[in-house]
Amino acid sequence: MFRRLPLLASLLALSAPALAQQPTFSPEAIRADVTFLADDLLEGRDAGTPGFDIAARYVAARFAALGLQQAVKDSWYQPVTLAVAELDPRVKPALTIGGTRFDTGGDVAIGAFGREPVQSIEAGAVFVGYGLQSDREKIDDYAGLDLRGKFAVALSGSPVGMPSEVGAHLAAEKALAAQKAGAIGLITIPSPSLLTRTPWEKLRDRASEPTVSWLDAQAKPFTRTPAIRGGASVNGAATDALFAGSDRKVAAIMQLAAKRGGRPKGFALKALVRLDRTSTVRTAASSNVIAILPGSDPSLAGEYVLLMAHLDHNGVRESAKGPDKIYNGAMDNASGTATMLAVAKAFADSGTRPKRSILFAAVTAEEDGLLGSQHLARNPVLPAGGKLVGIVNLDMPILTYDFADVVAFGAEHSTLGPIVDRAAKSAGVTLSPDPLPAEGLFTRSDHYRFVQEGVPSVFLMTGFAGPGKAAFEHFLKTDYHQPSDQISLPFNWQAAAKFARVNYAIARDIADAPQAPLWYQGDFFGDAFAPDQPKASTPK
């Protein structure tokens, strides 16, 4: 063994930090990760199946090889027990309205319910407009209405023209608003805008799919609305039956709802409603795969930045058209998971640990309703005194073109926005505003479960500049949630490496910044979920 000269050793030591700040991202390594995770062997990585477990083992092995630490004692896995409820095929579910029975599958759509496998619930009903409630926005569709022990009947979505993210959030909280008002059930009528985008037949068919949740500490399927025991969607003759005997016409209500800002008022309905359904419930074991890179600054290491991606996809479905029944999920979301692994490797190889700690998580059951992330958000794995301060979510970046910009959903709500902007510029790309505001995408991926716990978050995707818009729209139309989302797609692996570089820069900036991310003053989500936290001044 040769002994180093003291001067040479000193020079090498001095040069290491500079070299460490320039991590490399291998297109070939990202391709290898996506190729494995999207292989037919894993059968679409459906949560609770052996294929998902293989993917989880793969991610855990990668974490171990990088020298990361286990977040759960003696394990890379946070167990998540899933409860899978399905309608009992021997008993036809039905909604009886004013004495007329409507079996599910026609003008009524009824899903399974795991908390009460056998149900027969009868109650009065009240139309509640869109069924929205927000003190901050001065909205209360329940004002003056008596919902105690009754079904709330609400239009889907939110009023035309309402700011998209606010409307998406309030629509997602509809059952919570009904519970707060004293309702025992929620019946939804598809709004004109929803039916324009999605035909009733497709909405009805979705209701027949299994209902998945995770088991809470009482071994019950978790829900934020335990008092809402009944649920259904209605259309056509079933909607008419609900409004029978009323002096309000369904056509007039729908006409008003179709107008910008149209807000139909609520009123009591005449008909009694009875819901009958029988469900079967089974459990399935799954897990979140979680690792920690400890921070280097003793004063900041107790603050954690979470970089996350969902590991699951849609499994094997015999209903798929054509001979290929495996939903491999190469873009959704093997690509996001591979990006997370590339960023984890960059941190591990950098030689300079971040000041704050980094939590890396590949979560389960996103496709079933953001369940793995919800379980993690409500069951933290941090050491005593640890605190999550910021979330970067990686979900389905479209990596078929050399993107010139990125979109960070949620950037405008907190001081994460300037961080993303700096990171994008460092990689030679720009930060663009939300190109799909009507979709409310900020509320539709895993990070949102942490927003609901008050943590500033961003969800990054490749942008619409140049060929981006056409590439994104083509993927959504042709490959999204289809067997064709597989490794044979025209991936641009150099773009994948660039996307990882941007996300590394974001996570590094959050981790090393003197100040943890803050919601902006007056921001809707900060006010709704973190009213008592310090706020930053809104940029002008």
Side-chain angles (χ1 to χ4, degrees), residues 79-84 213-222 281-284 375 379:
V80 182
T81 302
L82 301 175
V84 183
S213 51
W214 51 273
L215 292 186
D216 60 21
Q218 288 72 46
K220 296 277 285 183
F222 175 80
V281 186
R282 59 181 174 85
T283 59
H375 187 272
N379 297 274

Side-chain angles (χ1 to χ4, degrees), residues 445-456:
S445 192
D446 283 310
H447 62 280
Y448 195 64
R449 295 307 190 191
F450 295 89
V451 171
Q452 290 174 315
E453 302 301 320
V455 186

Side-chain angles (χ1 to χ4, degrees), residues 33 44 88 189 243 292 467:
D33 286 336
D88 188 333
I189 303 170
F243 287 86
I292 289 176

